[in-house]
């Protein structure tokens, strides 16, 4: 027996394509660079919110399709997701932009922590120490990015060669609102 709050299976989107098409919103982005061609298409809907009512604050459901072609090899990846942003707060194009900027964070912070600061090589795995070390690495990345060097790696090399620069960096007043 179905819970009373869920719509009947006959009303599910594949069985009523006209209603689905009326509610769905789509945006597409094409990019070329780094030896690859990429096409990202996102389709958003609020029509499925009734089916997912156990997620408080649900704004939209989306389907993100990434098509890449690099070195003659084509790949397709499909990701489904939910967001608390309503259609008024973020339409399909805005959500597509947010998903792309997510990778900027991944490449900018996590890559720096993993590769430059050696987070993946760290053997600390238990207790509160991994979280504390991650926080310290985030502080280090912030401080090193504000040092006058072209990259975090260059700033790290400079600090290793001259530890007094690292102490000066810790003592220098800085604003987090810049």
């Amino acid at each position: 027996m179905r819970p009373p709050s869920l719509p009947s299976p006959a009303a599910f989107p594949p069985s009523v394509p006209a209603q689905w098409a009326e509610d769905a919103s789509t945006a597409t982005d094409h990019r070329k660079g780094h030896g690859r061609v990429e096409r990202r298409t996102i389709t958003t809907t609020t029509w499925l919110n009734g089916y997912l009512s156990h997620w408080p604050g649900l704004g939209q459901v989306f389907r993100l399709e990434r098509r890449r072609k690099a070195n003659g090899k084509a790949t397709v990846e499909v990701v489904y997701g939910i967001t608390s942003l309503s259609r008024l707060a973020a339409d399909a194009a805005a959500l597509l932009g947010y998903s792309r900027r997510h990778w900027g964070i991944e490449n900018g912070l996590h890559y720096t922590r993993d590769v430059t600061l050696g987070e993946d090589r760290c053997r600390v795995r238990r207790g509160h120490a991994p979280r504390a070390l991650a926080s310290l690495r985030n502080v280090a990345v912030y401080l090193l990015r504000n040092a006058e060097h072209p990259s975090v790696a260059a700033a790290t090399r400079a600090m290793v060669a001259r530890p007094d620069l690292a102490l000066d960096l810790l003592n220098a007043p800085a604003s987090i609102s810049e």
Side-chain angles (χ1 to χ4, degrees), residues 10 15-16 19 31 33 40 44 46 49 56 63 83-84 88 97 111 118 127 135 149 151 157 163 167:
S15 62
V16 270
Q19 289 176 350
R31 302 270 172 119
R40 299 161 62 93
T44 64
T46 57
N49 291 6
R63 177 186 188 270
T83 179
S84 61
L88 292 174
Y111 180 84
S135 296
H149 294 280
S151 68
R157 287 189 298 273
L167 292 174

Side-chain angles (χ1 to χ4, degrees), residues 75-155:
T75 60
V76 178
E77 178 184 19
V78 178
V79 177
Y80 295 92
I82 61 174
T83 179
S84 61
L85 297 171
S86 69
R87 186 168 281 170
L88 292 174
D91 62 358
L95 285 179
L96 188 59
Y98 294 152
S99 73
R100 180 165 286 286
R101 282 192 292 278
H102 162 77
W103 288 107
I105 295 168
E106 175 68 27
N107 293 335
L109 177 62
H110 300 298
Y111 180 84
T112 301
R113 281 181 21 193
D114 291 345
V115 176
T116 305
L117 300 179
E119 186 171 56
D120 287 344
R121 292 188 313 266
C122 182
R123 305 290 294 169
V124 177
R125 304 270 192 258
R126 292 196 174 131
H128 298 287
R131 183 172 289 180
L133 288 173
S135 296
L136 288 172
R137 285 185 190 98
N138 285 341
V139 169
V141 168
Y142 171 78
L143 291 171
L144 293 170
R145 281 195 177 143
N146 289 323
E148 296 188 13
H149 294 280
S151 68
V152 172

Side-chain angles (χ1 to χ4, degrees), residues 155-176:
T156 303
R157 287 189 298 273
M159 302 298 159
V160 167
R162 295 199 40 214
D164 58 306
L165 294 177
L167 292 174
D168 291 343
L169 196 59
L170 286 173
N171 291 325
S175 171
I176 60 171

Side-chain angles (χ1 to χ4, degrees), residues 51-69:
Y51 292 94
L52 302 171
S53 59
H54 56 279
W55 264 293
L58 176 66
Q60 298 181 73
V61 178
F62 65 88
R63 177 186 188 270
L64 176 61
E65 181 179 290
R66 299 180 189 112
R67 293 182 175 269
R68 290 185 196 96
K69 189 169 187 178

